Amino acid sequence: MVNIIKEGIVLEKTELGFEIEGVLNPAIIRSGDYIHMFYRAVAKGNYSSIGYCKLKNHMIVEERSDVPILFPQCEYESHGVEDPRIVKIDELFYLTYTAYDGVNALAALATSTDLISWEKKGLIAPQIAFKEFYRLAQTKGKINEKYHRYNEHESIKEKKGKPVFVWDKNVIPFPRRINGKLHFLHRIKPDIQIVVVDELEDLTAEFWQNYFLQFNDNVVMTSKHKHEISYLGGGCPPIETEQGWLIIYHSVYDTVKGYVYCACAALLDLGNPQKEIARLPYPLFKPEHEWELKGEVNNVCFPSGAVTENDTLYVYYGAADKRIACASMSLSELLKELILNSIPNEK
């Protein structure tokens, strides 16, 4: 077992209108002398925007913006911008987030060269109805029956005058090109999938149709253990190590008191991240403290950002959908534990 230290709460909500209901699910990146945090801030009515603060060390907030950095401006994000993740590829910062229009929750992207000014690139997720998705995805054989359960939306094709699409969330870029190509993890429930493109402009409607024709080949991780039996999804951006891409993801299992969200760990192959090479058979950490057990949504540890300092890995997470907390552990200890749980090569 990996020794986990729950460092405690890093950020709480304030009385400011844009974050009066809660702060959660932060994107984290180290740049210069600071750790920069871009977090989901929730206003009344569950309208979300992206707040910003910077930390001098892993726990101390030195500066915090009193206005959101990113907020709804377009129809596709009219009900909120949620759950950001951030990486730097070459000289450009990529910040992905979930755009919610009150009906559909789909991944979108903004880019920046300085972490201050952001250019929205629009939706990067497919806009596809469940019926078409299901038809394409089953062309080469059956897919997990849970895709129907989580994405069919009770056969509703239109809501509030808008077409209803398959939700595609937790889009997370790898922090560098691999074999010259951009790689993104994403999640259409209940699994984690991967997208590989030469450039962002390749994400056309035709690309997605061909992608869904090969859908099972693009599934990276599926539920294996009791703590992820309901579904799983991406968490922090992948961390490059000698042993592989370290993936801190979230898992969900159902109880009589509702869903429980845990932080989990796996390794993907460095040269071929479509191949999973190791996974812990137990949660890395799960809700146990009052501030993780009680909140806007109870029993939630939702990892979304991480930094390393020497051999220490700091994982930042939304705690009960109300506040932001941090947990730390030895990176080398975690990697050793993962290697002990390597997945045998299939021949």
PDB file of all heavy atoms in Angstrom, residues 2-29:
ATOM      1  N   VAL A   2       0.444   2.255  -0.725  1.00  0.00           N
ATOM      2  CA  VAL A   2       1.174   3.519  -0.788  1.00  0.00           C
ATOM      3  C   VAL A   2       0.768   4.385   0.391  1.00  0.00           C
ATOM      4  O   VAL A   2      -0.424   4.502   0.715  1.00  0.00           O
ATOM      5  CB  VAL A   2       0.867   4.253  -2.115  1.00  0.00           C
ATOM      6  CG1 VAL A   2       1.622   5.566  -2.190  1.00  0.00           C
ATOM      7  CG2 VAL A   2       1.204   3.351  -3.303  1.00  0.00           C
ATOM      8  N   ASN A   3       1.746   4.982   1.048  1.00  0.00           N
ATOM      9  CA  ASN A   3       1.457   5.873   2.175  1.00  0.00           C
ATOM     10  C   ASN A   3       0.961   7.220   1.652  1.00  0.00           C
ATOM     11  O   ASN A   3       1.703   7.941   0.978  1.00  0.00           O
ATOM     12  CB  ASN A   3       2.704   6.066   3.030  1.00  0.00           C
ATOM     13  CG  ASN A   3       2.444   6.959   4.230  1.00  0.00           C
ATOM     14  OD1 ASN A   3       1.395   6.875   4.866  1.00  0.00           O
ATOM     15  ND2 ASN A   3       3.396   7.828   4.535  1.00  0.00           N
ATOM     16  N   ILE A   4      -0.278   7.546   1.966  1.00  0.00           N
ATOM     17  CA  ILE A   4      -0.901   8.790   1.507  1.00  0.00           C
ATOM     18  C   ILE A   4      -1.026   9.763   2.671  1.00  0.00           C
ATOM     19  O   ILE A   4      -1.476   9.392   3.751  1.00  0.00           O
ATOM     20  CB  ILE A   4      -2.309   8.529   0.928  1.00  0.00           C
ATOM     21  CG1 ILE A   4      -2.250   7.477  -0.190  1.00  0.00           C
ATOM     22  CG2 ILE A   4      -2.943   9.828   0.427  1.00  0.00           C
ATOM     23  CD1 ILE A   4      -1.482   7.904  -1.412  1.00  0.00           C
ATOM     24  N   ILE A   5      -0.618  10.996   2.437  1.00  0.00           N
ATOM     25  CA  ILE A   5      -0.790  12.061   3.434  1.00  0.00           C
ATOM     26  C   ILE A   5      -1.860  13.016   2.925  1.00  0.00           C
ATOM     27  O   ILE A   5      -1.705  13.632   1.865  1.00  0.00           O
ATOM     28  CB  ILE A   5       0.521  12.825   3.682  1.00  0.00           C
ATOM     29  CG1 ILE A   5       1.603  11.877   4.195  1.00  0.00           C
ATOM     30  CG2 ILE A   5       0.291  13.975   4.665  1.00  0.00           C
ATOM     31  CD1 ILE A   5       2.974  12.522   4.299  1.00  0.00           C
ATOM     32  N   LYS A   6      -2.955  13.108   3.630  1.00  0.00           N
ATOM     33  CA  LYS A   6      -3.971  14.104   3.296  1.00  0.00           C
ATOM     34  C   LYS A   6      -3.514  15.448   3.865  1.00  0.00           C
ATOM     35  O   LYS A   6      -3.568  15.679   5.073  1.00  0.00           O
ATOM     36  CB  LYS A   6      -5.335  13.700   3.883  1.00  0.00           C
ATOM     37  CG  LYS A   6      -5.939  12.419   3.295  1.00  0.00           C
ATOM     38  CD  LYS A   6      -6.475  12.644   1.898  1.00  0.00           C
ATOM     39  CE  LYS A   6      -7.168  11.395   1.336  1.00  0.00           C
ATOM     40  NZ  LYS A   6      -8.443  11.071   1.968  1.00  0.00           N
ATOM     41  N   GLU A   7      -3.008  16.308   2.989  1.00  0.00           N
ATOM     42  CA  GLU A   7      -2.450  17.590   3.422  1.00  0.00           C
ATOM     43  C   GLU A   7      -3.534  18.530   3.945  1.00  0.00           C
ATOM     44  O   GLU A   7      -3.253  19.423   4.743  1.00  0.00           O
ATOM     45  CB  GLU A   7      -1.704  18.253   2.260  1.00  0.00           C
ATOM     46  CG  GLU A   7      -0.551  17.431   1.692  1.00  0.00           C
ATOM     47  CD  GLU A   7       0.695  17.496   2.544  1.00  0.00           C
ATOM     48  OE1 GLU A   7       0.733  18.310   3.489  1.00  0.00           O
ATOM     49  OE2 GLU A   7       1.637  16.734   2.267  1.00  0.00           O
ATOM     50  N   GLY A   8      -4.764  18.362   3.467  1.00  0.00           N
ATOM     51  CA  GLY A   8      -5.859  19.189   3.955  1.00  0.00           C
ATOM     52  C   GLY A   8      -6.453  20.081   2.887  1.00  0.00           C
ATOM     53  O   GLY A   8      -6.159  19.957   1.692  1.00  0.00           O
ATOM     54  N   ILE A   9      -7.293  21.003   3.316  1.00  0.00           N
ATOM     55  CA  ILE A   9      -8.008  21.901   2.405  1.00  0.00           C
ATOM     56  C   ILE A   9      -7.091  23.028   1.951  1.00  0.00           C
ATOM     57  O   ILE A   9      -6.426  23.675   2.749  1.00  0.00           O
ATOM     58  CB  ILE A   9      -9.251  22.475   3.101  1.00  0.00           C
ATOM     59  CG1 ILE A   9     -10.213  21.341   3.483  1.00  0.00           C
ATOM     60  CG2 ILE A   9      -9.961  23.487   2.200  1.00  0.00           C
ATOM     61  CD1 ILE A   9     -11.353  21.775   4.366  1.00  0.00           C
ATOM     62  N   VAL A  10      -7.076  23.268   0.646  1.00  0.00           N
ATOM     63  CA  VAL A  10      -6.275  24.342   0.061  1.00  0.00           C
ATOM     64  C   VAL A  10      -7.122  25.574  -0.203  1.00  0.00           C
ATOM     65  O   VAL A  10      -6.689  26.705   0.022  1.00  0.00           O
ATOM     66  CB  VAL A  10      -5.625  23.882  -1.261  1.00  0.00           C
ATOM     67  CG1 VAL A  10      -4.769  25.000  -1.865  1.00  0.00           C
ATOM     68  CG2 VAL A  10      -4.787  22.631  -1.041  1.00  0.00           C
ATOM     69  N   LEU A  11      -8.343  25.361  -0.680  1.00  0.00           N
ATOM     70  CA  LEU A  11      -9.179  26.486  -1.102  1.00  0.00           C
ATOM     71  C   LEU A  11     -10.626  26.238  -0.724  1.00  0.00           C
ATOM     72  O   LEU A  11     -11.148  25.137  -0.915  1.00  0.00           O
ATOM     73  CB  LEU A  11      -9.071  26.667  -2.622  1.00  0.00           C
ATOM     74  CG  LEU A  11      -9.275  28.088  -3.173  1.00  0.00           C
ATOM     75  CD1 LEU A  11      -8.134  29.001  -2.735  1.00  0.00           C
ATOM     76  CD2 LEU A  11      -9.363  28.062  -4.687  1.00  0.00           C
ATOM     77  N   GLU A  12     -11.267  27.276  -0.188  1.00  0.00           N
ATOM     78  CA  GLU A  12     -12.692  27.239   0.160  1.00  0.00           C
ATOM     79  C   GLU A  12     -13.436  28.281  -0.672  1.00  0.00           C
ATOM     80  O   GLU A  12     -12.848  29.198  -1.231  1.00  0.00           O
ATOM     81  CB  GLU A  12     -12.873  27.572   1.654  1.00  0.00           C
ATOM     82  CG  GLU A  12     -12.224  26.585   2.609  1.00  0.00           C
ATOM     83  CD  GLU A  12     -13.210  25.567   3.138  1.00  0.00           C
ATOM     84  OE1 GLU A  12     -14.259  25.354   2.490  1.00  0.00           O
ATOM     85  OE2 GLU A  12     -12.925  24.994   4.201  1.00  0.00           O
ATOM     86  N   LYS A  13     -14.735  28.154  -0.726  1.00  0.00           N
ATOM     87  CA  LYS A  13     -15.563  29.144  -1.398  1.00  0.00           C
ATOM     88  C   LYS A  13     -15.517  30.465  -0.632  1.00  0.00           C
ATOM     89  O   LYS A  13     -15.117  30.514   0.533  1.00  0.00           O
ATOM     90  CB  LYS A  13     -16.997  28.645  -1.504  1.00  0.00           C
ATOM     91  CG  LYS A  13     -17.711  28.498  -0.161  1.00  0.00           C
ATOM     92  CD  LYS A  13     -19.122  27.974  -0.356  1.00  0.00           C
ATOM     93  CE  LYS A  13     -19.858  27.882   0.988  1.00  0.00           C
ATOM     94  NZ  LYS A  13     -21.246  27.392   0.817  1.00  0.00           N
ATOM     95  N   THR A  14     -15.899  31.538  -1.314  1.00  0.00           N
ATOM     96  CA  THR A  14     -15.976  32.857  -0.687  1.00  0.00           C
ATOM     97  C   THR A  14     -17.394  33.394  -0.845  1.00  0.00           C
ATOM     98  O   THR A  14     -18.280  32.715  -1.366  1.00  0.00           O
ATOM     99  CB  THR A  14     -14.982  33.834  -1.333  1.00  0.00           C
ATOM    100  OG1 THR A  14     -15.426  34.140  -2.675  1.00  0.00           O
ATOM    101  CG2 THR A  14     -13.569  33.251  -1.376  1.00  0.00           C
ATOM    102  N   GLU A  15     -17.602  34.628  -0.429  1.00  0.00           N
ATOM    103  CA  GLU A  15     -18.901  35.274  -0.603  1.00  0.00           C
ATOM    104  C   GLU A  15     -19.035  35.960  -1.953  1.00  0.00           C
ATOM    105  O   GLU A  15     -20.066  36.565  -2.255  1.00  0.00           O
ATOM    106  CB  GLU A  15     -19.122  36.291   0.521  1.00  0.00           C
ATOM    107  CG  GLU A  15     -19.299  35.665   1.896  1.00  0.00           C
ATOM    108  CD  GLU A  15     -20.468  34.694   1.940  1.00  0.00           C
ATOM    109  OE1 GLU A  15     -21.571  35.078   1.488  1.00  0.00           O
ATOM    110  OE2 GLU A  15     -20.275  33.552   2.393  1.00  0.00           O
ATOM    111  N   LEU A  16     -17.992  35.879  -2.783  1.00  0.00           N
ATOM    112  CA  LEU A  16     -18.081  36.451  -4.118  1.00  0.00           C
ATOM    113  C   LEU A  16     -19.110  35.679  -4.939  1.00  0.00           C
ATOM    114  O   LEU A  16     -19.197  34.453  -4.857  1.00  0.00           O
ATOM    115  CB  LEU A  16     -16.718  36.401  -4.806  1.00  0.00           C
ATOM    116  CG  LEU A  16     -15.623  37.269  -4.166  1.00  0.00           C
ATOM    117  CD1 LEU A  16     -14.268  36.970  -4.803  1.00  0.00           C
ATOM    118  CD2 LEU A  16     -15.966  38.753  -4.321  1.00  0.00           C
ATOM    119  N   GLY A  17     -19.865  36.398  -5.731  1.00  0.00           N
ATOM    120  CA  GLY A  17     -20.994  35.789  -6.429  1.00  0.00           C
ATOM    121  C   GLY A  17     -20.623  34.608  -7.308  1.00  0.00           C
ATOM    122  O   GLY A  17     -21.359  33.628  -7.382  1.00  0.00           O
ATOM    123  N   PHE A  18     -19.465  34.684  -7.981  1.00  0.00           N
ATOM    124  CA  PHE A  18     -19.139  33.638  -8.942  1.00  0.00           C
ATOM    125  C   PHE A  18     -18.694  32.342  -8.278  1.00  0.00           C
ATOM    126  O   PHE A  18     -18.633  31.298  -8.940  1.00  0.00           O
ATOM    127  CB  PHE A  18     -18.071  34.130  -9.939  1.00  0.00           C
ATOM    128  CG  PHE A  18     -16.645  34.141  -9.410  1.00  0.00           C
ATOM    129  CD1 PHE A  18     -15.772  33.109  -9.721  1.00  0.00           C
ATOM    130  CD2 PHE A  18     -16.184  35.202  -8.631  1.00  0.00           C
ATOM    131  CE1 PHE A  18     -14.464  33.116  -9.268  1.00  0.00           C
ATOM    132  CE2 PHE A  18     -14.877  35.224  -8.175  1.00  0.00           C
ATOM    133  CZ  PHE A  18     -14.013  34.178  -8.488  1.00  0.00           C
ATOM    134  N   GLU A  19     -18.392  32.361  -6.967  1.00  0.00           N
ATOM    135  CA  GLU A  19     -17.948  31.151  -6.287  1.00  0.00           C
ATOM    136  C   GLU A  19     -18.609  30.981  -4.916  1.00  0.00           C
ATOM    137  O   GLU A  19     -18.067  30.347  -4.026  1.00  0.00           O
ATOM    138  CB  GLU A  19     -16.422  31.150  -6.149  1.00  0.00           C
ATOM    139  CG  GLU A  19     -15.848  32.331  -5.379  1.00  0.00           C
ATOM    140  CD  GLU A  19     -14.323  32.308  -5.329  1.00  0.00           C
ATOM    141  OE1 GLU A  19     -13.706  31.563  -6.116  1.00  0.00           O
ATOM    142  OE2 GLU A  19     -13.752  33.039  -4.505  1.00  0.00           O
ATOM    143  N   ILE A  20     -19.801  31.502  -4.797  1.00  0.00           N
ATOM    144  CA  ILE A  20     -20.476  31.478  -3.499  1.00  0.00           C
ATOM    145  C   ILE A  20     -21.001  30.088  -3.133  1.00  0.00           C
ATOM    146  O   ILE A  20     -21.224  29.781  -1.954  1.00  0.00           O
ATOM    147  CB  ILE A  20     -21.617  32.521  -3.480  1.00  0.00           C
ATOM    148  CG1 ILE A  20     -22.066  32.802  -2.041  1.00  0.00           C
ATOM    149  CG2 ILE A  20     -22.788  32.059  -4.356  1.00  0.00           C
ATOM    150  CD1 ILE A  20     -22.983  33.998  -1.907  1.00  0.00           C
ATOM    151  N   GLU A  21     -21.173  29.216  -4.134  1.00  0.00           N
ATOM    152  CA  GLU A  21     -21.698  27.878  -3.864  1.00  0.00           C
ATOM    153  C   GLU A  21     -20.608  26.824  -3.691  1.00  0.00           C
ATOM    154  O   GLU A  21     -20.869  25.752  -3.147  1.00  0.00           O
ATOM    155  CB  GLU A  21     -22.642  27.450  -4.989  1.00  0.00           C
ATOM    156  CG  GLU A  21     -23.929  28.251  -5.053  1.00  0.00           C
ATOM    157  CD  GLU A  21     -24.800  28.050  -3.824  1.00  0.00           C
ATOM    158  OE1 GLU A  21     -24.915  26.909  -3.362  1.00  0.00           O
ATOM    159  OE2 GLU A  21     -25.368  29.045  -3.328  1.00  0.00           O
ATOM    160  N   GLY A  22     -19.403  27.096  -4.190  1.00  0.00           N
ATOM    161  CA  GLY A  22     -18.351  26.102  -4.034  1.00  0.00           C
ATOM    162  C   GLY A  22     -17.192  26.315  -4.984  1.00  0.00           C
ATOM    163  O   GLY A  22     -17.308  27.019  -6.001  1.00  0.00           O
ATOM    164  N   VAL A  23     -16.051  25.717  -4.644  1.00  0.00           N
ATOM    165  CA  VAL A  23     -14.878  25.670  -5.512  1.00  0.00           C
ATOM    166  C   VAL A  23     -14.414  24.213  -5.561  1.00  0.00           C
ATOM    167  O   VAL A  23     -14.430  23.515  -4.553  1.00  0.00           O
ATOM    168  CB  VAL A  23     -13.757  26.595  -5.008  1.00  0.00           C
ATOM    169  CG1 VAL A  23     -14.203  28.051  -5.051  1.00  0.00           C
ATOM    170  CG2 VAL A  23     -13.318  26.236  -3.586  1.00  0.00           C
ATOM    171  N   LEU A  24     -14.006  23.757  -6.719  1.00  0.00           N
ATOM    172  CA  LEU A  24     -13.688  22.338  -6.858  1.00  0.00           C
ATOM    173  C   LEU A  24     -12.885  22.066  -8.119  1.00  0.00           C
ATOM    174  O   LEU A  24     -12.672  22.959  -8.945  1.00  0.00           O
ATOM    175  CB  LEU A  24     -14.966  21.494  -6.849  1.00  0.00           C
ATOM    176  CG  LEU A  24     -15.997  21.737  -7.958  1.00  0.00           C
ATOM    177  CD1 LEU A  24     -16.807  20.467  -8.230  1.00  0.00           C
ATOM    178  CD2 LEU A  24     -16.971  22.859  -7.564  1.00  0.00           C
ATOM    179  N   ASN A  25     -12.396  20.849  -8.237  1.00  0.00           N
ATOM    180  CA  ASN A  25     -11.825  20.258  -9.454  1.00  0.00           C
ATOM    181  C   ASN A  25     -10.842  21.186 -10.184  1.00  0.00           C
ATOM    182  O   ASN A  25     -11.113  21.636 -11.303  1.00  0.00           O
ATOM    183  CB  ASN A  25     -12.948  19.819 -10.391  1.00  0.00           C
ATOM    184  CG  ASN A  25     -13.912  18.863  -9.728  1.00  0.00           C
ATOM    185  OD1 ASN A  25     -13.708  18.430  -8.595  1.00  0.00           O
ATOM    186  ND2 ASN A  25     -14.975  18.518 -10.425  1.00  0.00           N
ATOM    187  N   PRO A  26      -9.675  21.438  -9.572  1.00  0.00           N
ATOM    188  CA  PRO A  26      -8.747  22.413 -10.139  1.00  0.00           C
ATOM    189  C   PRO A  26      -7.809  21.844 -11.200  1.00  0.00           C
ATOM    190  O   PRO A  26      -7.408  20.675 -11.155  1.00  0.00           O
ATOM    191  CB  PRO A  26      -7.934  22.829  -8.906  1.00  0.00           C
ATOM    192  CG  PRO A  26      -7.849  21.569  -8.098  1.00  0.00           C
ATOM    193  CD  PRO A  26      -9.212  20.909  -8.280  1.00  0.00           C
ATOM    194  N   ALA A  27      -7.450  22.671 -12.152  1.00  0.00           N
ATOM    195  CA  ALA A  27      -6.323  22.414 -13.047  1.00  0.00           C
ATOM    196  C   ALA A  27      -5.080  23.005 -12.386  1.00  0.00           C
ATOM    197  O   ALA A  27      -5.130  24.108 -11.834  1.00  0.00           O
ATOM    198  CB  ALA A  27      -6.569  23.062 -14.403  1.00  0.00           C
ATOM    199  N   ILE A  28      -3.969  22.279 -12.441  1.00  0.00           N
ATOM    200  CA  ILE A  28      -2.757  22.679 -11.734  1.00  0.00           C
ATOM    201  C   ILE A  28      -1.574  22.629 -12.689  1.00  0.00           C
ATOM    202  O   ILE A  28      -1.400  21.661 -13.431  1.00  0.00           O
ATOM    203  CB  ILE A  28      -2.477  21.732 -10.549  1.00  0.00           C
ATOM    204  CG1 ILE A  28      -3.616  21.767  -9.530  1.00  0.00           C
ATOM    205  CG2 ILE A  28      -1.142  22.071  -9.895  1.00  0.00           C
ATOM    206  CD1 ILE A  28      -3.715  23.050  -8.742  1.00  0.00           C
ATOM    207  N   ILE A  29      -0.743  23.674 -12.660  1.00  0.00           N
ATOM    208  CA  ILE A  29       0.496  23.651 -13.431  1.00  0.00           C
ATOM    209  C   ILE A  29       1.540  24.510 -12.736  1.00  0.00           C
ATOM    210  O   ILE A  29       1.217  25.569 -12.175  1.00  0.00           O
ATOM    211  CB  ILE A  29       0.263  24.120 -14.884  1.00  0.00           C
ATOM    212  CG1 ILE A  29       1.452  23.753 -15.768  1.00  0.00           C
ATOM    213  CG2 ILE A  29      -0.051  25.618 -14.953  1.00  0.00           C
ATOM    214  CD1 ILE A  29       1.159  23.839 -17.257  1.00  0.00           C
TER     215      ILE A  29
END
